[in-house]
Amino acid sequence: MVTYRQANAGDYLEIAKLHVKSWQQNYRGDFSDHFLDTEATAEREGVWQNRLNNPMPNQFCWVAEQEGEICGFACAFLEDDAEHGTLLDNLHVLGTTKGKGIGRQLMRLVAQEVLKNDPGGKLYLWVLKNNISAMAFYERLGGFNCETVAGNDIGDKEVRKCRIVWNNLKKLI
Ligand SMILES: CC(C)(COP(=O)(O)OP(=O)(O)OC[C@H]1O[C@@H](n2cnc3c(N)ncnc32)[C@H](O)[C@@H]1OP(=O)(O)O)[C@@H](O)C(=O)NCCC(=O)NCCS
């Protein structure tokens, strides 16, 4: 059975590990081999240690667990952008547990949190343009691509990324 709970400070290493594994499986080519294989672990451990030990007041993070192991997570920042609303950064589900509704349930939990804060709240995220599978998932959940831009905020390569938005979060619940 999969259960869901808010993340706590003790989860940072397990989340970082899942995050890196997911990047290695899904982002190779967009992120360099050098970054994925030698730098990503330290980079993600730093990010998650900081996020979970010193959470921003507008941050919330959910994990999915199966048999005591974290198999998915979603992290979001309320009212991050004046036009697009809450930023979802990031959503990942362990490869072996994909396709079982965990991603959809994490998105539902995020949407509930946004609407609790603001009944008219909006949600957005950035996804790599080449991440066809995640794009299809977001489309299935009612998100739409409102712009594609170049960026190099993570790693050592420039990537093309799409901003996926939801203006009506009730669709996610
Ligand atoms: C994208 C991701 C989060 C989806 O999570 P998931 O648990 O596998 O997805 P779910 O099982 O909840 O699927 C929900 C719905 O989306 C659909 N869906 C999921 N993946 C899909 C795909 N690749 N193509 C088409 N539809 C898809 C499912 O069929 C399901 O539809 P239904 O409920 O109407 O039957 C997960 O596959 C993942 O972690 N991918 C790798 C990391 C990643 O790319 N994260 C996004 C970063 S921006």
Side-chain angles (χ1 to χ4, degrees), residues 8 15 17 19 21 34 43 45 54 60 65 72 76 87 103 112 118 120 135 145 152 159:
N8 59 56
I15 295 178
K17 194 172 162 196
H19 204 164
K21 195 169 178 184
H34 174 75
E43 194 271 346
E45 284 181 4
N54 312 298
F60 59 93
E65 271 183 323
L87 168 65
Q112 281 170 349
D118 171 9
M135 295 272 266
N145 181 0
N152 59 352
V159 294

Side-chain angles (χ1 to χ4, degrees), residues 22 26-27 91-93 99-101 103-104 131 133 136 138 140:
S22 183
N26 299 289
Y27 291 14
L91 171 72
H92 288 262
V93 173
K100 296 182 175 176
R104 185 188 273 283
N131 192 347
S133 172
Y138 294 130
R140 179 88 184 116

Side-chain angles (χ1 to χ4, degrees), residues 18 22-23 26-27 88 90-95 97-106 125-128 131-138 140-141:
L18 198 168
S22 183
W23 275 359
N26 299 289
Y27 291 14
L88 176 60
N90 322 85
L91 171 72
H92 288 262
V93 173
L94 190 67
T97 57
K98 278 185 190 174
K100 296 182 175 176
I102 296 171
R104 185 188 273 283
Q105 178 60 17
L106 287 166
L125 58 86
W126 292 105
V127 58
L128 296 177
N131 192 347
I132 306 293
S133 172
M135 295 272 266
F137 164 77
Y138 294 130
R140 179 88 184 116
L141 268 61

Side-chain angles (χ1 to χ4, degrees), residues 4-138:
Y4 298 83
R5 62 169 174 81
Q6 300 218 13
N8 59 56
D11 295 323
Y12 89 90
L13 274 179
E14 210 180 335
I15 295 178
K17 194 172 162 196
L18 198 168
H19 204 164
V20 172
K21 195 169 178 184
S22 183
W23 275 359
Q24 289 172 337
Q25 287 172 348
N26 299 289
Y27 291 14
R28 207 168 279 282
D30 276 309
F31 288 1
S32 72
D33 289 347
H34 174 75
F35 173 71
L36 286 173
D37 298 332
T38 66
E39 295 175 355
T41 296
E43 194 271 346
R44 282 297 95 183
E45 284 181 4
V47 166
W48 283 105
Q49 185 171 29
N50 189 42
R51 280 183 178 179
L52 297 181
N53 278 284
N54 312 298
M56 304 275 283
N58 65 336
Q59 169 189 310
F60 59 93
C61 181
W62 288 89
V63 295
E65 271 183 323
Q66 191 174 38
E67 291 167 12
E69 280 189 26
I70 293 176
C71 59
F73 62 85
C75 184
F77 298 86
L78 290 169
E79 296 176 19
D80 171 81
D81 182 271
E83 183 182 354
H84 298 292
T86 295
L87 168 65
L88 176 60
D89 181 33
N90 322 85
L91 171 72
H92 288 262
V93 173
L94 190 67
T96 49
T97 57
K98 278 185 190 174
K100 296 182 175 176
I102 296 171
R104 185 188 273 283
Q105 178 60 17
L106 287 166
M107 290 292 286
R108 186 178 290 130
L109 290 166
V110 169
Q112 281 170 349
E113 204 80 37
V114 175
L115 293 180
K116 199 163 70 183
N117 176 66
D118 171 9
K122 298 177 183 179
L123 178 68
Y124 79 100
L125 58 86
W126 292 105
V127 58
L128 296 177
K129 187 172 188 295
N130 289 334
N131 192 347
I132 306 293
S133 172
M135 295 272 266
F137 164 77
Y138 294 130

